[in-house]
Amino acid sequence: MVKVVFLHPDLGIGGAERLVIDMALALISKKHEVTIFTSHHDPTHCFSETKDGTVQVVAKFDWLPRRILGKFYALCAVMRMIFLALYIRLFVSADIYIVDQVSICVPFLKFLSNKKVLFYCHYPDMLLTERKSFLKLLYRKPLDYLEGLTTSMSDKILVNSLFTKGVVSNTFSQVKKCEVLYPSLNTSKFENGYEIVCTDVNLDSFDFVFLSLNRYERKKNINLALEAMAYVKENCSESVKCHLIVAGGYDTRVNENVEHHLELEQLSQKLDIHENTTFLRSISDTTKLFLLRNCTALIYTPSNEHFGIVPVESMYCNMPVIAVNSGGPLETVEHSVTGFLCEPSPERVGQAMLQFIEQSELKDRMGRAGKKRVQELFSFEAFTEKLHSFVMELC
């Protein structure tokens, strides 16, 4: 048995958090002792495994600021992780550390220690922010340098896709080698056979229901789903009742979540699709499973997404995927077999949506192919064995 300690900055609801929890579950299934340390964990805004005792979570240093004067988010995240790493190094025993998102804590964990550090890079943080002013450029310069340097100090670096592997290699000259560990599904949570009753939304009054499932962030390009819905409304018969459900992570502490939700509601009014659109925030696992099982197709709009676990979840639930033709979906979605890969325009996405309306057998055929693809390429068992081998290699 290996004692594994995870360090994650903010254990909320998102793809990175889902991956960390699945990594923990995979190692627990191999009889390892696992604890996730984080600087923030809200039991009212988290995945169920982190509050029902399935995965042990310890939150420290949430009193440290997340921002200063509405800015300096990256600097505050770095400081919170340094405090967390120092606490773990001084007071917590471990055989191996697994870190993701913020690499600055790697040298603190390795200082005067022979313990190994595995770093999971979802995507270089330095590429996730713009530098529109000289002051912003000056502020980011040391943070960007330290990200590359401390990432390279890890004993093993994993990434979520071949796409991200290429980006990491091109971004960090110090990193000589990284390996791909695709995110996976703990499919047991999708397998319960009972009929789910969902009170958040009623699908019975619609012929076709399309689903957008993302955090309320501008980079997710949810606008495209609304614009595509407007295209569908304009180009299909009035007798066909089509609906779009926009659902996903929403945190009142994050200004962008609050602002973008309002922007999307205003856009639906402007496009005259407000009666064809439902917005859901921070849905429960039960509601998410209900939507994945019962909607017509997933509309996945982010461009250059690093991996994107939602299309994999969708395909496993027999729901086809309409995704933008870049980033992770190029590796997960098989065009014209498990869904459609489209240029990021309302016309192209809307035309793909219309195919499901015009060809009644398409959903079932693509749905079956999607589930088969997930079982072959992204099974939890394969994910578990590969992660276990990486951990044992370092111990």
Side-chain angles (χ1 to χ4, degrees), residues 101-149:
Q101 289 194 325
V102 182
S103 60
I104 192 69
C105 56
V106 172
F108 293 92
L109 295 171
K110 291 177 69 68
F111 181 66
L112 296 179
S113 170
N114 61 353
K115 306 302 182 186
K116 303 295 186 180
V117 177
L118 185 156
F119 182 71
Y120 195 100
C121 181
H122 304 278
Y123 202 73
D125 182 69
M126 64 188 297
L127 301 181
L128 298 176
T129 184
E130 296 178 336
R131 294 154 180 78
K132 295 182 178 179
S133 68
F134 176 73
L135 286 177
K136 181 68 176 287
L137 181 66
L138 199 63
Y139 160 67
R140 286 293 316 194
K141 194 74 173 177
L143 293 175
D144 295 345
Y145 172 76
L146 286 172
E147 182 184 8
L149 179 63

Side-chain angles (χ1 to χ4, degrees), residues 148-314:
L149 179 63
T150 56
T151 297
S152 69
M153 291 179 176
S154 306
D155 297 288
K156 184 174 286 292
I157 301 169
L158 302 180
V159 293
N160 52 22
S161 64
L162 293 171
F163 170 75
T164 301
K165 181 178 180 178
V167 172
V168 168
S169 298
N170 292 332
T171 304
F172 299 138
S173 59
Q174 306 98 320
V175 173
K176 303 305 180 186
K177 181 182 179 182
C178 56
E179 300 181 59
V180 176
L181 176 64
Y182 283 123
S184 181
L185 295 183
N186 186 353
T187 54
S188 60
K189 68 176 183 175
F190 297 96
E191 291 292 358
N192 51 61
Y194 61 84
E195 187 70 24
I196 297 175
V197 177
C198 177
T199 58
D200 292 336
V201 61
N202 180 16
L203 305 185
D204 294 338
S205 55
F206 308 116
D207 299 319
F208 301 93
V209 181
F210 296 93
L211 174 65
S212 170
L213 194 58
N214 277 298
R215 289 191 302 276
Y216 281 93
E217 295 177 356
R218 296 181 183 95
K219 68 181 180 182
K220 298 300 184 181
N221 198 20
I222 304 171
N223 293 36
L224 177 58
L226 272 66
E227 292 163 353
M229 185 66 213
Y231 178 91
V232 169
K233 182 179 178 182
E234 184 179 336
N235 287 275
C236 75
S237 170
E238 292 185 4
S239 63
V240 178
K241 298 177 181 178
C242 297
H243 202 75
L244 172 68
I245 295 176
V246 177
Y250 179 94
D251 190 339
T252 55
R253 299 173 304 127
V254 179
N255 290 336
E256 184 182 11
N257 289 176
V258 178
E259 294 168 359
H260 194 46
H261 175 258
L262 180 60
E263 291 166 359
L264 292 170
E265 287 192 324
Q266 292 171 341
L267 180 60
S268 72
Q269 294 279 347
K270 180 181 177 181
L271 295 172
D272 193 28
I273 58 168
H274 55 282
E275 293 184 356
N276 305 89
T277 309
T278 297
F279 294 95
L280 302 175
R281 295 172 289 181
S282 294
I283 57 176
S284 66
D285 288 345
T286 300
T287 298
K288 177 180 175 180
L289 183 55
F290 174 83
L291 294 173
L292 289 173
R293 284 182 176 179
N294 292 284
C295 290
T296 305
L298 177 77
I299 313 299
Y300 197 68
T301 52
S303 291
N304 294 320
E305 184 74 353
H306 324 144
F307 177 76
I309 194 64
V310 174
V312 179
E313 293 176 332
S314 174

Side-chain angles (χ1 to χ4, degrees), residues 14-46:
E17 290 72 33
R18 184 66 257 170
L19 173 67
V20 168
I21 294 164
D22 285 341
M23 291 176 77
L25 292 172
L27 294 176
I28 290 170
S29 73
K30 288 294 186 179
K31 309 303 181 185
H32 299 307
E33 183 180 339
V34 176
T35 306
I36 301 177
F37 282 82
T38 180
S39 60
H40 177 78
H41 179 247
D42 181 356
T44 66
H45 183 77
C46 65

